[in-house]
Amino acid sequence: MYQWLDDRLSIGKLYAKAFRKAFPVHHSFFLGEITLFSFVTLVLTGIFLTLNYEPSIRPVSGSLSGGQEVPAAYYSILYIDSLPFGAVIRSLHHWAAHIMIAAAFLHMLRIHLTGAYKNPRELNWIVGVFLLVLAIITAFTGYALPFDNYALTATKIGYEIGAAAPWVGKLLSNILFAGELSPTNTQTIPRLFPIHVLWLPLALMGLIGAHLAIMIKQKHTQPKYAEKVAPGKIVGVPLFPQQAAMMGILFLVYIAVTTFIAGAFLAHPVQAFGPPTANTPPVKPDWYFMWIYGILQIIPANWRFEFLGATFGPQFWGGILVPTVIILGALAIPFLDYSKEKQRYLELPSQHPFRTSFVVGMLMFYIMSTLAGYKVDLGLSNGLLWVLVFIVPIVTGVVCYIIMKAIYGKDWNQEPEIKLIGKGSAADD
Amino acid sequence: MADHEATAHHHEHHPEDPQAHATRRAILQAAIGVSAGAAVLSTLWVGAGLVPREEKIPSKEPVAVGDTLVFATGPKADQEITLDDLRAAQRERIPFIIAFPKSPENVVKKDLITNTIMVILADPAKMSPETRQYASPEGVLAYSAVCKHLGCTVSQWQNDTWLCPCHGGRYDIYNQAKVVGGPVPAPVPQLPVKVEGGKVVVAGEFLGKPGADV
């Protein structure tokens, strides 16, 4: 059997070339894989969901809705929940999306803290930033599909934020949602459905393929010890069987843990929210939008002016400008922190106090603006939140820098590579 | 063989007229430019098909004078709101009712989101003079219920103010929905109403533009 296949497909050659590819080992390297596993889980659970979902809001009634006339999309969620493990699969889809975004963010954080975005990997950093943004957009387009009151209200806020983009916003929002987003717009779901289940996932697959292809072509960055063990060589385990076994085990653990979460914490109970009405329930966005939601709450309403027929108001500053600046900033990082020499090994965060402090400050900004999202619930004042959101991150960054310089200052001014080869042990082992 | 070499030679020593070369390049560049432009334009033309077509249907008409107000939600949905309903709501401490307008031709205009209206029976003595001017003598008061901030329905009542649950916008309904809290850019417009035959009837246009102010 093997001989037969080998004759035709030259498996032996493939094995020698591809399957023996060396994978450097570090536990933080699994974050990217967890992101990938989440995507696989989303596609698999998504297939199940699409096959049972009706992308329409024609009124239907049946025993599941207690005879009440509800939109077909909403009814099909009730139907999915009534299937064996249906609610768990739907919940798994929901949690896998959250985990994917979290893992992608942490993966990015790891790359940032270790300087792995530097020459020659700028391109893959850019692809990665787009992947994260695209993943978040894909998640957002899935929000409204259950077509319950909560989902529609939450999506409506996104609609209005999109519409706040100067000049083209209303047009773009209307194209994405096929007109005004309302409980009676029959075209919205048939438009969001293919965007969420077909076009954006295809785009994600393409970008993931590019991301992995570039990574294989450029090889991994490696932990510093690899330089001492075998300078200029990739030190790691072969893809097959060791790395494949690790990945397989990790995937199974991932599925087990997320399925447990999905079963224990059923996500988005549409039955409790009910079909859309003219009434609005109190909504909160998912955690990865909470920081934008927080910024929207603290920007004063009178920060607005008209320019050439477009309104620049708080929704624009908080909902569009701030995220855009942060995304552009992320894209610029490998060019601001450019190394002429090709980067082969991971850098220690402790040896780059400015970069590390910057990352810590940015994290504090996300945490504080997320906290601002709970302004009404916690009864916090605007003044306090402005201090928390804009002053605390800067102070955190500066304090972090001072502490790091004090602790690691001696090592910091020296060329780390020379020192490591010369002295060879303490800092990185 | 010799012939062939001679031809090759011939070519080398007599390059094309540079003028002709330049003309040919210009023509090719123009052709590429024109076709690229045509491709972009036609893509935009096709892409414009993604913009939904506005349908003129009666249920999407804006509020008009003479419309009655009906319940937007609940068991009485689509039924006309009467003064008795408002009195009952007041007794049961339901602060206000979310309503849609219904045209004299009996079409409930629920497909236009800015037609969502809040209607309340309030004490005329508490109202500012401008507010009272557009309320009915009985104290029936109506506003656009679409929050000026990001378009949620303002659907809560807290500490005697009208509260949008999405981002915490607060309105003072006794004073032309003046903004008293939250990130809201402007008051929601008041809708002049009167009571006719026990029913709430629209007596004028919205006093401003309803809908999120983005």
Side-chain angles (χ1 to χ4, degrees):
Chain A
M1 176 68 180
Y2 175 79
Q3 197 55 47
W4 189 86
L5 277 172
D6 194 30
D7 283 349
R8 280 150 191 83
L9 304 171
S10 340
I11 293 170
K13 257 195 209 157
L14 187 72
Y15 179 79
K17 259 197 103 173
F19 287 4
R20 300 300 293 176
K21 182 183 155 44
F23 271 73
V25 181
H26 190 272
H27 44 264
S28 71
F29 289 7
F30 286 118
L31 286 167
E33 283 171 20
I34 291 171
T35 315
L36 184 66
F37 297 157
S38 306
F39 182 70
V40 171
T41 311
L42 283 164
V43 170
L44 293 177
T45 50
I47 290 170
F48 177 84
L49 295 176
T50 53
L51 295 177
N52 286 302
Y53 178 77
E54 183 179 339
S56 145
I57 63 160
R58 71 184 177 90
V60 294
S61 59
S63 56
L64 290 172
S65 65
Q68 193 198 347
E69 237 181 33
V70 295
Y74 176 86
Y75 194 87
S76 54
I77 305 299
L78 298 180
Y79 174 72
I80 287 170
D81 283 356
S82 76
L83 294 170
F85 294 101
V88 178
I89 297 283
R90 191 168 71 81
S91 196
L92 186 56
H93 192 76
H94 180 108
W95 290 123
H98 284 265
I99 295 172
M100 178 172 175
I101 290 165
F105 183 77
L106 291 176
H107 173 60
M108 210 169 147
L109 211 59
R110 197 279 290 170
I111 302 285
H112 196 170
L113 283 171
T114 56
Y117 52 81
K118 285 186 185 173
N119 180 20
R121 296 184 181 77
E122 307 96 324
L123 193 62
N124 229 11
W125 170 264
I126 290 170
V127 172
V129 172
F130 279 121
L131 262 174
L132 178 59
V133 172
L134 203 61
I136 290 176
I137 293 173
T138 309
F140 174 70
T141 55
Y143 258 43
L145 293 183
F147 216 70
D148 58 87
N149 205 12
Y150 189 100
L152 204 69
T153 306
T155 313
K156 172 84 181 162
I157 294 168
Y159 172 92
E160 294 292 354
I161 289 175
W167 300 294
V168 291
K170 194 83 185 165
L171 184 74
L172 292 181
S173 270
N174 279 346
I175 288 177
L176 180 58
F177 295 104
E180 184 101 338
L181 189 66
S182 85
T184 54
N185 188 341
T186 52
Q187 297 177 64
T188 301
I189 290 294
R191 182 156 301 182
L192 280 178
F193 181 67
I195 289 175
H196 179 74
V197 308
L198 178 64
W199 300 115
L200 289 181
L202 270 182
L204 273 172
M205 272 182 211
L207 273 187
I208 290 171
H211 200 61
L212 296 181
I214 294 172
M215 185 268 290
I216 289 167
K217 175 80 188 149
Q218 295 184 330
K219 314 258 188 302
H220 281 82
T221 42
Q222 311 182 68
K224 270 272 169 63
Y225 69 80
E227 195 177 19
K228 280 174 285 165
V229 178
K233 295 224 166 69
I234 305 274
V235 177
V237 297
L239 172 60
F240 192 84
Q242 283 89 335
Q243 180 71 15
M246 277 195 276
M247 283 173 73
I249 291 167
L250 187 66
F251 183 66
L252 292 176
V253 170
Y254 173 88
I255 290 285
V257 171
T258 41
T259 309
F260 170 75
I261 294 171
F265 306 97
L266 287 176
H268 205 79
V270 290
Q271 224 153 356
F273 300 130
T277 66
N279 226 334
T280 302
V283 292
K284 278 261 188 293
D286 285 335
W287 60 269
Y288 47 85
F289 281 130
M290 195 59 107
W291 64 283
I292 297 179
Y293 179 85
I295 294 171
L296 278 177
Q297 300 226 27
I298 62 168
I299 293 186
N302 55 8
W303 282 21
R304 55 195 292 118
F305 67 88
E306 304 255 334
F307 180 71
L308 294 179
T311 306
F312 293 81
Q315 282 76 273
F316 171 71
W317 310 129
I320 295 176
L321 189 71
V322 173
T324 307
V325 165
I326 287 177
I327 292 167
L328 290 179
L331 290 174
I333 281 170
F335 304 101
L336 296 176
D337 182 20
Y338 190 80
S339 72
K340 253 194 176 153
E341 211 156 282
K342 295 205 167 176
Q343 184 86 3
R344 289 202 178 82
Y345 299 99
L346 298 175
E347 294 169 343
L348 285 172
S350 58
Q351 283 169 340
H352 294 263
F354 179 77
R355 183 174 68 206
T356 306
S357 316
F358 175 77
V359 171
V360 172
M362 280 306 280
L363 281 178
M364 195 47 109
F365 171 75
Y366 293 126
I367 293 170
M368 287 297 139
S369 43
T370 297
L371 182 74
Y374 293 94
K375 178 183 164 182
V376 177
D377 317 59
L378 299 176
L380 301 169
S381 78
N382 238 24
L384 175 69
L385 283 171
W386 272 90
V387 170
L388 289 178
V389 170
F390 290 98
I391 309 296
V392 167
I394 295 172
V395 172
T396 311
V398 170
V399 169
C400 182
Y401 182 80
I402 292 169
I403 292 175
M404 288 188 75
K405 258 195 106 174
I407 297 178
Y408 302 108
K410 278 164 274 162
D411 298 340
W412 179 56
N413 276 329
Q414 294 165 21
E415 191 62 45
E417 277 167 60
I418 296 167
K419 195 211 76 161
L420 281 164
I421 292 167
K423 240 167 79 186
S425 70
D428 55 333
D429 290 352
Chain B
M1 194 65 191
D3 247 16
H4 191 82
E5 264 173 25
T7 323
H9 232 74
H10 179 80
H11 258 284
E12 265 172 50
H13 281 270
H14 295 272
E16 270 182 59
D17 180 10
Q19 195 61 44
H21 216 91
T23 315
R24 192 167 67 185
R25 181 174 297 167
I27 290 172
L28 281 175
Q29 280 174 346
I32 291 169
V34 167
S35 38
V40 169
L41 273 181
S42 46
T43 309
L44 286 178
W45 199 259
V46 173
L50 289 173
V51 181
R53 233 171 263 176
E54 278 296 330
E55 277 179 85
K56 278 273 168 212
I57 48 172
S59 63
K60 264 191 156 171
E61 291 289 319
V63 182
V65 178
D67 287 353
T68 51
L69 294 186
V70 299
F71 284 91
T73 58
K76 281 188 167 180
D78 294 353
Q79 285 180 35
E80 275 158 338
I81 299 169
T82 63
L83 197 54
D84 291 337
D85 288 324
L86 286 165
R87 286 201 180 109
Q90 201 179 35
R91 270 198 306 279
E92 289 162 37
R93 298 192 180 280
I94 300 164
F96 59 90
I97 294 168
I98 300 284
F100 284 132
K102 185 166 105 171
S103 72
E105 292 81 35
N106 277 334
V107 178
V108 178
K109 302 171 180 175
K110 60 168 74 167
D111 289 345
L112 188 68
I113 215 141
T114 48
N115 277 356
T116 318
I117 293 158
M118 82 87 104
V119 54
I120 184 170
L121 186 63
D123 182 3
K126 278 188 179 176
M127 298 178 199
S128 73
E130 302 84 42
T131 312
R132 202 180 308 129
Q133 188 187 341
Y134 299 106
S136 84
E138 298 85 353
V140 181
L141 186 57
Y143 289 103
S144 162
V146 182
C147 184
K148 277 287 184 187
H149 182 228
L150 285 172
C152 290
T153 306
V154 192
S155 60
Q156 288 188 356
W157 190 258
Q158 216 174 63
N159 303 335
D160 235 24
T161 54
W162 192 28
L163 172 77
C164 177
C166 287
H167 301 88
R170 302 177 93 99
Y171 300 91
D172 173 9
I173 63 142
Y174 299 111
N175 193 7
Q176 297 222 293
K178 204 178 115 217
V179 181
V180 288
V184 184
V188 289
Q190 193 178 350
L191 181 71
V193 284
K194 59 187 175 189
V195 176
E196 256 179 26
K199 295 171 190 165
V200 183
V201 180
V202 178
E205 306 271 313
F206 273 121
L207 298 182
K209 198 173 144 283
D213 216 354
V214 288

